[in-house]
Amino acid sequence: MATFVQSAGFPILLPLLFFFSPSSRSTTSTPLNTSSTKLPPLSTLAFLCFAFGPMLTGDNLMYSHGLLYLPVSTYSLLCATQLAFNALFSFFFNSQKFTPFIFNSLVLLTISATLLAVNTNSENMTGIPKGKTFASGEWKILRNGMENYGKGRVSYMMTLIWTAVTWQISSIAMLGLIFEVSSLFCNVISTLAMPAVPILAVMFFHDKMDGVKVTALLAVSGFLSYIYQHYLDDSKSKVYKTSNNEASGAGAVMEVC
């Protein structure tokens, strides 16, 4: 069910695809960049959808099976390592630059997520048959899950529907972060979510503040370190543009004279 909910909400994105299609922006584009916004052939789009769709579904399925067969602490620890792997691949494939602030952010976020994973209450998943893999037959008992849901069928369906919608919003937001900033920054945001949950639980559900939740504050400081580096980069970019504009203006004045 978790895999299905993560993948089944894609139809809500179809209206956005037509609304933000390149054809709707062609009237404002110049002749020089009109060809760059042309959609690829339908066969290419269909191939990409059928190729990446099952891959994404398989990724969601592996997360679901990790929760099903692994103790919570082990699952959380594995999830905490993805930031380190992403940083490594970004360095080799995307030439990601690692400043002291970015390195400090990665270290603090990884330590915070790891400590939370180690201190998570583990559950021994001994009641699950080892023979279950991908075809577990869970679909046969979905009706029972709805009928046994404590708050009723309507609440059950609303939970599934809004979970599917928010997953699509999350996917689009992460894709936007990758295009506008970097894949590493997108992964920093994703890693920040795990330590942020205990802090939000203290704020909104009045959970008791303990050492584990204090450890989660390391993630906040690591995130601020990454943001500060972006602030420095943005400031340098503005200074560079200003100096170039001033140089161009001075050159124009010299030509007129």
Side-chain angles (χ1 to χ4, degrees), residues 20-246:
F20 292 104
S21 63
S23 59
S24 65
R25 301 192 300 268
S26 60
T27 55
T28 59
S29 59
T30 61
L32 294 177
N33 61 11
T34 301
S35 59
S36 63
T37 60
K38 184 179 179 180
L39 285 174
L42 182 60
S43 59
T44 302
L45 288 177
F47 172 77
L48 292 175
C49 291
F50 283 104
F52 286 104
M55 291 175 61
L56 180 60
T57 304
D59 177 72
N60 296 336
L61 183 63
M62 286 188 287
Y63 273 95
S64 301
H65 276 263
L67 282 173
L68 187 64
Y69 293 107
L70 294 176
V72 178
S73 58
T74 305
Y75 172 82
S76 301
L77 188 61
L78 289 175
C79 291
T81 62
Q82 65 180 353
L83 181 59
F85 282 103
N86 184 266
L88 181 64
F89 291 134
S90 295
F91 176 77
F92 287 106
F93 296 142
N94 299 331
S95 300
Q96 175 72 44
K97 295 181 179 179
F98 289 93
T99 64
F101 288 108
I102 291 181
F103 185 77
N104 177 67
S105 173
L106 298 179
V107 171
L108 290 179
L109 283 167
T110 302
I111 291 176
S112 176
T114 302
L115 291 177
L116 285 173
V118 171
N119 286 278
T120 301
N121 294 327
S122 299
E123 297 179 3
N124 189 12
M125 313 300 286
T126 57
I128 301 175
K130 298 299 182 181
K132 298 296 184 180
T133 55
F134 294 95
S136 62
E138 184 184 359
W139 56 272
K140 299 178 181 178
I141 59 173
L142 293 182
R143 180 178 295 274
N144 295 334
M146 180 186 300
E147 293 176 352
N148 296 329
Y149 191 69
K151 296 186 177 180
R153 294 186 177 184
V154 176
S155 296
Y156 183 83
M157 292 302 302
M158 292 300 292
T159 300
L160 295 183
I161 291 173
W162 287 109
T163 300
V165 171
T166 52
W167 262 110
Q168 298 307 309
I169 296 174
S170 174
S171 300
I172 292 298
M174 289 190 292
L175 189 64
L177 287 177
I178 293 174
F179 275 98
E180 296 296 331
V181 187
S182 66
S183 61
L184 183 60
F185 183 73
C186 175
N187 211 277
V188 166
I189 297 297
S190 300
T191 306
L192 179 66
M194 185 167 64
V197 170
I199 299 176
L200 295 176
V202 173
M203 296 173 57
F204 295 102
F205 297 101
H206 307 291
D207 281 7
K208 183 180 179 180
M209 175 66 76
D210 54 17
V212 177
K213 295 181 176 65
V214 173
T215 303
L217 296 176
L218 288 174
V220 178
S221 60
F223 174 72
L224 294 177
S225 178
Y226 202 108
I227 292 298
Y228 184 68
Q229 180 60 53
H230 275 281
Y231 168 76
L232 294 178
D233 294 340
D234 186 62
S235 299
K236 290 181 181 179
S237 177
K238 290 181 179 179
V239 171
Y240 179 76
K241 290 181 180 179
T242 302
S243 61
N244 283 344
N245 292 335
E246 291 177 353

Side-chain angles (χ1 to χ4, degrees), residues 248-257:
S248 300
V253 171
M254 291 295 294
E255 291 180 359
V256 171
C257 294

